Structure formats: C-alpha cells, structure tokens
C-alpha cells in the first residue's frame, strides 16, 4: 500500500536539548546537592505522569526539584525558571526544515506524535523561526489526549484527521517501544537518532535528509519521494 503520511516523534527526532542536563546539574551542585543520576526511576515516573497530563509543566518542575532536595523558596523559584528556560533551549537536527518542506512538496501529509507536557502552541513557537510551524497536517499531544506512546490511541489520533489507515503511514522515532507501538498498528517504522537499546525498525536513517531517499515511500499521487 502506498505511504501517504509520515508521522514524527518530536524530541530527539526533530530536535534535541543537549544542554538541559548539564544546566540542571550545575544548578544543583552550586547548592550543595548531588547531580542527578541517570535513569532515576522516580524522575521517570514523574515525567511520564506529566506527559500523560496528570500534572502541569509547573507542577512537574516543582515536584522534580523537591525530589532532588531543593526546598528553599528562592532556590525553587530560580530552579523553575531554569527548567522553563532549558525546556525551550532546543537544537534542531541538520536538514529538518528543508526535508519537511520537500516531503510536503512530494505530496506527503505530515504529523507529530509526541509524549510531552508542553502545549502545541509552545512547541509551535520553537518551530516558527525555522518556518516549520505550518507544515503539519495533524498533531497528537500526549498531555492533551491523556495517553502516551506506545499506546495505540495516540498514533490513531494523529491519523484520524488525515483519514488514513495505519498501513498508509510511516512513523519516525528514536525509541524502540514507540517504534514497536507504531509497527503493531501496521505502520512502516523508520529509526533515526536511536536510543542505545533501539535496534529494530523497517528502515534506519543516519541523517534526517535521508528520508528523501528511502525506497518504497511515495506520496499521495504515487510520485517518488525523491
């Protein structure tokens, strides 16, 4: 079946936040608090709850700082400001705007499927300077839908406004469980910027612009993607 739409994870696929962890570590260490440990299960649980819309971004930041032991009201206020600032400090991967616009010209519908505690309006503010705030035909936001990947409902929410079946779409992701969630629905999967344990997808690309050269992907009119 012809692929007519490409759905994208947002963080670590369209952009990364390479300075966020270091900024938080410095903030804590300046106050005599040990730097965060990697893969802290309590932090992971807080983040997933925020992604699922069980708390706001502000509440997540407050609980995160409390978990780390930040209790002084002045430090809490400064920490929240830092976390807000670092959340918006994004680096887009090379070739993202050019590739997305070329995919649109080739007839693809484009969508986002994102686990996030940020609103759509907030993320679109990040997109606007690159001119990619207007390329999206669908947007599935976990904190609004109250469901997170790899649950099928979030992928289907991105497909519904397009009027397409999963078999007519591809999903670009970096996390194995999210790629597996898309694959279980019948979507074609494309791995980019993979996590260390991400090893399996229908296609793998080394640079974002490689999307334009993948075999078997065609737009709605049947024209080749590149």
């Amino acid at each position: 079946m012809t692929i007519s739409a490409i759905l994208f994870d947002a963080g670590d696929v369209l952009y990364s936040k390479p300075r966020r962890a270091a900024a938080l570590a410095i903030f804590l260490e300046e106050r005599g608090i040990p730097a965060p440990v990697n893969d802290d299960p309590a932090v992971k649980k807080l983040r997933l709850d925020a992604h699922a819309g069980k708390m706001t971004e502000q509440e997540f930041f407050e609980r995160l700082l409390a978990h780390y032991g930040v209790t002084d009201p002045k430090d809490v206020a400064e920490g929240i400001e830092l976390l807000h600032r670092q959340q918006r400090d994004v680096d887009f991967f090379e070739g993202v705007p050019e590739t997305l616009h070329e995919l649109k010209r080739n007839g693809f519908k484009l969508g986002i499927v994102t686990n996030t505690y940020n609103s759509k309006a907030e993320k679109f503010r990040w997109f606007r300077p690159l001119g990619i705030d207007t390329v999206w035909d669908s947007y599935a936001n976990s904190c609004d839908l109250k469901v997170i990947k790899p649950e099928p409902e979030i992928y289907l929410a991105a497909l519904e406004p397009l009027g397409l079946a999963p078999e007519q779409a591809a999903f670009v992701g970096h996390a194995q469980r999210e790629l597996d969630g898309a694959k279980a629905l019948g979507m074609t999967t494309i791995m980019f910027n993979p996590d260390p344990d991400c090893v399996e997808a229908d296609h793998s690309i080394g640079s974002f612009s490689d999307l334009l050269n993948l075999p078997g992907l065609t737009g709605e009119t049947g024209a080749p993607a590149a």
Side-chain angles (χ1 to χ4, degrees):
M1 185 177 290
T2 298
I3 299 296
S4 299
I6 305 177
L7 307 182
F8 296 84
D9 191 3
D12 291 322
V13 168
L14 300 176
Y15 56 79
S16 65
K17 299 177 182 178
R19 294 167 291 276
R20 180 170 58 177
L24 177 59
I26 291 169
F27 170 84
L28 294 174
E29 289 169 351
E30 287 176 344
R31 289 155 179 81
I33 300 172
V37 298
N38 292 331
D39 299 321
D40 183 335
V43 172
K44 182 177 181 180
K45 174 66 164 55
L46 283 172
R47 183 171 288 110
L48 287 174
D49 284 348
H51 285 171
K54 296 178 180 179
M55 67 183 80
T56 65
E57 179 184 48
Q58 179 80 8
E59 290 168 336
F60 169 59
F61 290 162
E62 290 171 353
R63 295 187 192 186
L64 183 65
L65 291 169
H67 171 70
Y68 289 137
V70 180
T71 57
D72 180 88
K74 180 174 181 293
D75 289 341
V76 171
E78 291 177 357
I80 289 173
E81 175 57 32
L82 171 72
L83 290 168
H84 278 300
R85 189 165 61 249
Q86 289 302 314
Q87 185 68 3
R88 303 180 186 111
D89 183 17
V90 299
D91 285 355
F92 285 86
F93 289 103
E94 183 177 358
V96 164
E98 298 88 349
T99 301
L100 292 175
H101 284 291
E102 185 64 19
L103 290 170
K104 288 288 286 186
R105 283 191 288 270
N106 287 332
F108 286 100
K109 299 293 185 181
L110 302 180
I112 286 178
V113 186
T114 178
N115 287 350
T116 184
Y117 43 77
N118 289 117
S119 68
K120 176 181 177 180
E122 172 68 18
K123 290 208 175 188
F124 274 43
R125 280 192 285 270
W126 309 346
F127 296 162
R128 196 165 295 120
L130 279 74
I132 59 171
D133 55 314
T134 59
V135 302
W136 306 107
D137 301 290
S138 71
Y139 190 93
N141 203 19
S142 67
C143 61
D144 293 331
L145 295 167
K146 306 293 192 292
V147 63
I148 60 176
K149 291 172 290 181
E151 295 300 320
E153 290 84 0
I154 191 167
Y155 304 94
L156 295 174
L159 290 171
E160 192 275 335
L162 307 179
L164 298 175
E167 294 79 9
Q168 296 172 282
F171 172 72
V172 185
H174 66 93
Q176 190 66 61
R177 64 197 305 267
E178 297 182 3
L179 290 163
D180 291 345
K183 187 65 178 177
L185 287 170
M187 298 174 66
T188 297
T189 54
I190 303 169
M191 179 170 52
F192 173 63
N193 186 39
D195 294 348
D197 62 346
C198 187
V199 296
E200 186 175 0
D202 295 314
H203 304 279
S204 178
I205 56 174
S207 63
F208 197 86
S209 60
D210 288 343
L211 281 168
L212 300 173
N213 301 313
L214 283 180
L217 294 184
T218 58
E220 289 181 320
T221 63

